[in-house]
């Protein structure tokens, strides 16, 4: 009986030790090594609302992604990002890229989507820094600035031109009785990529008319007038959010209320458009919806769907109000997932 009591005492002491110090055989929590990445995008200026709206999501998404991380040769890794303001200008992008590479010693650029591809790659590529970006006017072969042999560290992780074409196809499907679609963009976006888009749309029998305006334009009435004269009952933009807001308002003020307006890229907060365009003029605005839970033609890994839902919920909690911007799915997080998968292989 004394031996039994002694055994019970030993067991109790053992359980107390486990409660105080944890299981002795359990290894210490594995330390995660963080890889620094740069997000170079507009955070101010006319294109700033897109960059500002997506920034909180990167914080939320990365905090969730890093809970699991990824492994390379058995070692656990995660990502740590820093935002740099490109100003959507060559000068701003050059300063941001130099700071990221030479001062902060970052080897990976992700989430790039603005018109500064040429400037960024001219600095990043010689330094062997991987740049994950979108295709576009200046970032396509056959006349654009992209050269596969000279730019081996450029990765096209977002098919922006194809997304734009699919946007127009979706509009035609939604409005089969349309007369003509007016395509509007700032001259910054003019180039071989836009010509390729126009050729593809015309090849498919989609009726279009293209207008170019200087970046920073405030009075769009001459362009709206020409769209109307060409029989366009839809105007679709590929420029900054302010241009969309002003065209919404000005076409309404001109009495051309029958002209619908859409824009590539995600929908920002509806109140942003209403505050500039007015409530009535902003009605019916079309934009991309990157909600991956709504995709029907492509099967998506349930793991990514859960991560998307959790990130949207977390950023809503962090900012204290519902978060609806979904266009981020095609850029920063997608680029990081591709980078992690490539590293793991």
């Amino acid at each position: 009986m004394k031996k039994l009591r002694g055994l019970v005492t030993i067991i109790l002491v053992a359980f107390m030790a486990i409660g105080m110090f944890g299981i002795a055989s359990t290894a210490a929590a594995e330390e995660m090594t963080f890889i620094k990445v740069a997000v170079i995008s507009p955070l101010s200026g006319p294109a700033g609302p897109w960059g500002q709206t997506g920034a909180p999501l990167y914080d939320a998404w990365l905090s969730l992604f890093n809970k699991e991380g990824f492994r390379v040769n058995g070692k656990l890794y995660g990502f740590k990002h820093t935002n740099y303001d490109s100003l959507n200008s060559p000068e701003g992008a050059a300063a941001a890229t130099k700071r990221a590479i030479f001062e902060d010693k970052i080897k990976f650029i992700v989430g790039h989507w603005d018109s500064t591809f040429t400037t960024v790659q001219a600095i990043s590529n010689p330094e062997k820094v991987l740049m994950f970006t979108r295709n576009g006017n200046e970032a396509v072969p056959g006349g654009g600035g992209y050269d596969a042999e000279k730019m081996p560290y450029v990765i096209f992780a977002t098919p922006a031109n194809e997304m734009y074409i699919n946007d127009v196809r979706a509009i035609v499907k939604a409005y089969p009785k349309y007369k003509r679609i007016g395509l509007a963009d700032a001259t910054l976006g003019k180039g071989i990529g836009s010509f390729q888009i126009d050729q593809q749309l015309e090849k498919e029998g989609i009726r279009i008319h293209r207008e170019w305006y200087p970046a920073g334009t405030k009075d769009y009435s001459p362009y709206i007038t020409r769209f109307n004269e060409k029989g366009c009952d839809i105007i679709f933009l590929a420029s900054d959010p302010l241009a969309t807001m002003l065209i919404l308002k000005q076409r309404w003020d001109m009495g051309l209320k029958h002209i619908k307006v859409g824009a590539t890229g995600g929908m920002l907060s509806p109140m942003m458009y209403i505050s500039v365009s007015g409530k009535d003029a902003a009605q019916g605005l079309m934009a991309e919806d990157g909600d991956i839970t709504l995709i029907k033609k492509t099967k998506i890994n349930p793991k990514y769907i859960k991560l998307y839902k959790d990130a949207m919920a977390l950023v809503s909690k962090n900012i204290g109000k519902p978060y609806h911007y979904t266009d981020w799915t095609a850029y920063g997080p997608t680029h990081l997932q591709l980078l992690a998968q490539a590293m793991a292989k």
Side-chain angles (χ1 to χ4, degrees):
M1 197 67 178
K2 288 182 179 178
K3 289 183 179 179
L4 182 60
R5 284 199 296 270
L7 180 61
V8 171
T9 302
I10 292 171
I11 293 173
L12 286 174
V13 171
F15 275 121
M16 288 176 64
I18 291 171
M20 293 173 63
F21 304 108
I23 301 173
S25 62
T26 301
E30 185 175 1
E31 185 176 353
M32 177 177 285
T33 299
F34 288 97
I35 298 169
K36 296 190 297 183
V37 298
V39 180
I40 299 176
S41 64
L43 296 173
S44 58
W50 272 332
Q52 295 164 11
T53 302
L57 193 284
Y58 283 21
D59 296 332
W61 185 89
L62 259 185
S63 69
L64 296 172
F65 179 85
N66 284 337
K67 285 184 177 181
E68 179 179 340
F70 62 100
R71 292 186 179 276
V72 178
N73 295 329
K75 189 174 180 180
L76 185 62
Y77 289 90
F79 291 116
K80 181 179 180 181
H81 76 293
T82 302
N83 292 312
Y84 298 85
D85 189 358
S86 72
L87 302 173
N88 197 27
S89 71
E91 297 78 13
T97 307
K98 289 176 181 178
R99 191 164 70 253
I101 295 175
F102 299 118
E103 295 181 22
D104 298 339
K105 309 302 180 183
I106 292 176
K107 288 292 184 180
F108 305 97
I109 296 170
V110 300
H112 183 267
W113 53 264
D114 67 10
S115 62
T116 62
F117 164 79
T118 303
T119 301
V120 175
Q121 73 78 27
I123 301 169
S124 63
N125 197 70
E127 297 301 318
K128 299 182 179 179
V129 171
L130 283 183
M131 176 191 183
F132 287 72
T133 185
R134 61 163 179 83
N135 61 4
N137 298 313
E138 74 287 3
V140 293
Y146 175 67
D147 186 313
E149 292 185 358
K150 296 179 180 179
M151 304 174 188
Y153 297 95
V154 169
I155 310 243
F156 292 119
T158 302
N161 278 5
E162 289 79 0
M163 291 168 64
Y164 185 93
I165 291 171
N166 283 334
D167 288 342
V168 178
R169 288 170 177 157
I171 292 173
V172 171
K173 186 175 181 180
Y175 299 102
K177 296 182 179 180
Y178 81 102
K179 295 178 181 178
R180 192 174 298 276
I181 299 177
L183 304 181
D185 196 358
T187 50
L188 286 173
K190 193 173 185 179
I192 185 66
S194 59
F195 300 149
Q196 292 172 351
I197 287 174
D198 292 356
Q199 289 174 352
Q200 179 61 36
L201 294 175
E202 290 171 348
K203 181 179 178 181
E204 296 180 17
I206 296 175
R207 299 179 294 279
I208 61 171
H209 172 71
R210 173 81 72 168
E211 288 286 341
W212 299 99
Y213 50 82
T217 293
K218 296 295 188 294
D219 180 10
Y220 291 91
S221 58
Y223 308 99
I224 297 171
T225 298
R226 281 198 289 275
F227 280 133
N228 186 54
E229 291 173 348
K230 294 292 183 178
C232 299
D233 47 2
I234 300 171
I235 298 176
F236 189 65
L237 292 96
S239 189
D240 61 78
L242 181 59
T244 303
M245 298 173 191
L246 291 175
I247 285 181
L248 275 169
K249 174 178 172 54
Q250 291 172 14
R251 100 339 176 160
W252 193 265
D253 293 342
M254 293 168 66
L256 301 175
K257 300 179 181 181
H258 66 284
I259 297 180
K260 300 176 178 62
V261 178
T264 189
M267 178 79 73
L268 301 174
S269 167
M271 289 309 300
M272 287 189 183
Y273 301 94
I274 291 173
S275 65
V276 175
S277 310
K279 184 176 180 180
D280 292 335
Q283 299 306 306
L285 173 63
M286 297 173 282
E288 291 175 359
D289 188 351
D291 186 345
I292 61 175
T293 66
L294 301 176
I295 295 176
K296 296 180 175 63
K297 294 185 178 181
T298 302
K299 187 176 181 180
I300 297 177
N301 189 328
K303 173 183 176 181
Y304 299 142
I305 292 179
K306 183 179 186 305
L307 186 57
Y308 166 82
K309 288 181 176 180
D310 291 346
M312 293 293 283
L314 180 57
V315 75
S316 296
K317 179 181 178 181
N318 290 344
I319 65 175
K321 59 183 179 180
Y323 183 85
H324 301 294
Y325 185 67
T326 62
D327 199 44
W328 60 270
T329 56
Y331 290 91
T334 295
H335 296 182
L336 287 174
Q337 286 175 334
L338 291 171
L339 179 57
Q341 291 168 12
M343 287 178 165
K345 290 182 178 181

